[in-house]
Amino acid sequence: KQWYQRRVRAAERVIKDIDEGGCVDSYMQDQIIILMGLACGVSQVRSGPLTLHTKTAIHLLESMTAAQFTVTKDPNPAPGEQSYVIECRGIALENAYLTQSNSTDMD
């Protein structure tokens, strides 16, 4: 019975995050921030209220890299939603070890 209750609670948390208008749950928010900061160009993600982990990830990436984030409250949320749009201009990190010449050397 205990395993069932844990699964129900987990599902309820995901449903809550979706109901708040997010496309990522509260556990994924801070994870996606790192990828957005490293990506090329502008990335956007819609989320529910920002977690402390997400705010910390944004602060650290802006402190350690040239990534720039803006967080705006959704101007047109559906009734009952508290969604935000996180936007990032990433640093376009490229892995120097994944060049064309290196990949042909391994063949």
Side-chain angles (χ1 to χ4, degrees):
K1 183 172 176 161
Q2 196 175 37
W3 62 268
Y4 178 77
Q5 290 172 339
R6 280 194 300 255
R7 290 178 179 157
V8 168
R9 282 195 306 269
E12 287 171 344
R13 288 183 194 138
V14 170
I15 291 168
K16 178 182 175 283
D17 290 332
I18 292 169
D19 284 346
E20 288 178 340
C23 65
V24 294
D25 71 3
S26 57
Y27 294 100
M28 185 62 183
Q29 279 181 16
D30 61 330
Q31 308 282 317
I32 200 82
I33 294 300
I34 297 165
L35 299 174
M36 291 170 70
L38 298 177
C40 179
V42 176
S43 304
Q44 289 184 334
V45 67
R46 181 177 310 278
S47 73
L50 271 59
T51 65
L52 181 58
H53 281 245
T54 301
K55 293 175 184 177
T56 301
I58 290 171
H59 174 75
L60 285 173
L61 275 165
E62 287 181 332
S63 298
M64 296 171 62
T65 71
Q68 300 171 335
F69 288 87
T70 57
V71 178
T72 55
K73 190 166 185 159
D74 187 350
N76 301 311
E81 286 186 358
Q82 293 182 8
S83 61
Y84 295 81
V85 176
I86 305 169
E87 183 175 282
C88 177
R89 179 168 301 281
I91 64 170
L93 181 70
E94 291 186 24
N95 186 337
Y97 296 102
L98 294 178
T99 63
Q100 184 64 30
S101 63
N102 286 344
S103 64
T104 57
D105 292 341
M106 291 188 226
D107 292 335

